[in-house]
Amino acid sequence: MDSVLAAATSPEGQTEKPVVVVCVGMAGSGKTTFMQRINAHLHGKKEPPYVINLDPAVTHSPFASNIDIRDSVNYKKVMEEYNLGPNGAIMTSLNLFTTKVDQVLGLLEKRAAPDPEHPTRKPVKHILVDTPGQIEVFVWSASGSILLDSLASSFPTIIAYVVDTPRTSSTSTFMSNMLYACSILYKTRLPMIVVFNKTDAKDASFAKEWMTDWEAFQAALNNDENNNSFGGQEGEGSGSGYMGSLLNSMSLMLEEFYNHLSVVSVSSLHGTGIDDFFEAVKEKAEEFKRDYQPELDRRRAEREENKKKQREKELEKMMKGMSMDTTASTSAVGNIKPEDEDMEVLSTDEESEDELDDEQDKEGLQARYEAAMLHQDESTTEDASFVKYLHSQRG
């Protein structure tokens, strides 16, 4: 037992933090099937991952989840009680689940460290997170940002953007997917792996070529223009106008984005390419520690510094208010500051004389009151004697 604790605390035996893989993708891209495949792959290697499901609307999940949003939030009741549509109910469910993010992190950190009570149980090496099919609900919502920032603050976190390969065969849909991937990368500021899924239906070599060879993309773009793939009128070559120039400009703009992107092609149905994916995960985890972690630490330190300055500002404001209250109380019982410099202020001696006169007045008033009460008592006694005398005379 002591050796296990020593291994957990010593630098030589320190356990590596698990890598968080957040799977995002448009509806129908095969994201859930991809999650099932990588989960089964890790189980086959005797390295079971820790699985989190953040999709409250899924009716059937092909894999077991350690943490499931459906256990905490009822999606249908949220829709009924708040009178929301499907997307609004998903976002509201995520917002409600985000209130428990501290508990989620506590469970993850517990499973990431050796357990002294169960020495044979190995700490997890991978944390898999499945997200809703409505990608914008998770990526662009406040709750999604909070969840991603919370995970990245504790573990190396990677975004796996799953793309439906057969649907990206045209240049326009391919560019739409790449622009979405680019926006997610700069929104989350986390390492990204673009996963071209469903390669059993269509090989992803064309997409990789378009990302590395600008001339190849231009040739495909010209081919789409000649085939009137952009919906123009017959014979006008409408693609050579707005759409052609727009896609051409976008391909030039995304060249730098492609250079810093990891791309893998997999088949969730057959399991091909999964080893390549985890090799990319390993590389991105090192990239996270090298490039992203310092930036996250800097931003965290900046937030803490801003919070500290805000607390100091509030404390200074509070102390200033207390000082003003104390000054006001002192001035209420002390000397009155004249608004006009010609006004005279009562001196201390005069105040003392006034206080003495007040005490003398109080003593004189007390003496007069006692004398009046004594006189009243004597009058009452005399009246009683006179009444007694009258009764004796009548008798």
Side-chain angles (χ1 to χ4, degrees), residues 17 105 148-155 157 288 293 296 300:
K17 288 186 176 181
L105 289 179
L148 285 177
D149 291 343
S150 300
L151 290 172
S153 65
S154 301
F155 310 99
T157 305
F288 178 91
Q293 190 66 52
L296 290 174
R300 188 184 302 112

Side-chain angles (χ1 to χ4, degrees), residues 178-195:
M178 293 302 102
L179 286 174
Y180 219 127
C182 182
S183 64
I184 293 172
L185 175 66
Y186 288 103
K187 174 65 171 60
T188 60
R189 299 183 183 181
L190 294 172
M192 175 181 285
I193 302 173
V194 175
V195 182

Side-chain angles (χ1 to χ4, degrees), residues 20-36 38 51-63 65 67-70 90-91 94 97 127-141 143-145 147-148 151 157-162 180 184 188 190:
V20 179
V21 180
V22 181
C23 295
V24 299
M26 295 185 181
S29 62
K31 176 174 53 61
T32 302
T33 309
F34 174 71
M35 275 282 299
Q36 179 188 14
I38 59 177
V51 182
I52 302 175
N53 174 44
L54 295 180
D55 189 356
V58 64
T59 55
H60 172 69
S61 180
F63 51 86
S65 300
I67 298 177
D68 198 328
I69 188 175
R70 295 174 298 174
I90 292 175
M91 183 176 295
L94 280 173
F97 183 77
I127 299 172
L128 307 181
V129 182
D130 191 19
T131 60
Q134 292 79 354
I135 186 173
E136 67 281 356
V137 172
F138 178 78
V139 175
W140 299 102
S141 66
S143 55
S145 298
L147 288 169
L148 285 177
L151 290 172
T157 305
I158 298 168
I159 302 294
Y161 180 66
V162 183
Y180 219 127
I184 293 172
T188 60
L190 294 172

Side-chain angles (χ1 to χ4, degrees), residues 28-277:
S29 62
K31 176 174 53 61
T32 302
T33 309
F34 174 71
M35 275 282 299
Q36 179 188 14
R37 174 58 65 180
I38 59 177
N39 181 33
H41 179 80
L42 292 174
H43 275 280
K45 295 180 64 176
K46 306 299 181 182
E47 296 178 357
Y50 203 81
V51 182
I52 302 175
N53 174 44
L54 295 180
D55 189 356
V58 64
T59 55
H60 172 69
S61 180
F63 51 86
S65 300
N66 299 97
I67 298 177
D68 198 328
I69 188 175
R70 295 174 298 174
D71 296 335
S72 303
V73 183
N74 191 317
Y75 166 74
K76 292 185 178 180
K77 286 188 177 180
V78 169
M79 189 184 298
E80 294 174 0
E81 292 180 3
Y82 293 93
N83 194 22
L84 298 171
N87 289 351
I90 292 175
M91 183 176 295
T92 304
S93 299
L94 280 173
N95 293 338
L96 295 172
F97 183 77
T98 305
T99 60
K100 303 178 181 294
V101 66
D102 293 337
Q103 300 178 26
V104 173
L105 289 179
L107 292 173
L108 295 179
E109 290 174 354
K110 183 178 179 180
R111 286 295 289 116
D115 189 356
E117 297 181 358
H118 303 86
T120 58
R121 187 171 66 177
K122 298 180 180 179
V124 295
K125 294 183 178 180
H126 296 88
I127 299 172
L128 307 181
V129 182
D130 191 19
T131 60
Q134 292 79 354
I135 186 173
E136 67 281 356
V137 172
F138 178 78
V139 175
W140 299 102
S141 66
S143 55
S145 298
I146 292 172
L147 288 169
L148 285 177
D149 291 343
S150 300
L151 290 172
S153 65
S154 301
F155 310 99
T157 305
I158 298 168
I159 302 294
Y161 180 66
V162 183
V163 179
D164 188 348
T165 306
R167 292 185 181 179
T168 60
S169 56
S170 68
T171 54
S172 58
T173 53
F174 170 80
M175 188 56 61
S176 299
N177 269 285
M178 293 302 102
L179 286 174
Y180 219 127
C182 182
S183 64
I184 293 172
L185 175 66
Y186 288 103
K187 174 65 171 60
T188 60
R189 299 183 183 181
L190 294 172
M192 175 181 285
I193 302 173
V194 175
V195 182
F196 285 102
N197 195 15
K198 303 182 183 180
T199 55
D200 55 290
K202 186 175 181 60
D203 187 40
S205 58
F206 74 94
K208 294 181 179 180
E209 186 180 12
W210 288 353
M211 297 175 70
T212 55
D213 190 347
W214 182 77
E215 293 181 356
F217 181 78
Q218 291 301 309
L221 180 59
N222 293 331
N223 185 49
D224 286 345
E225 292 174 358
N226 295 331
N227 293 333
N228 200 27
S229 299
F230 301 136
Q233 295 183 1
E234 196 70 31
E236 292 186 358
S238 60
S240 61
Y242 171 74
M243 283 297 295
S245 60
L246 177 62
L247 293 177
N248 187 20
S249 301
M250 288 179 179
S251 63
L252 290 173
M253 180 193 69
L254 293 178
E255 185 176 359
E256 185 68 20
F257 167 67
Y258 295 150
N259 293 333
H260 296 84
L261 200 64
S262 294
V263 181
V264 296
S265 55
V266 302
S267 172
S268 299
L269 183 62
H270 296 156
T272 57
I274 300 300
D275 289 328
D276 296 336
F277 171 74

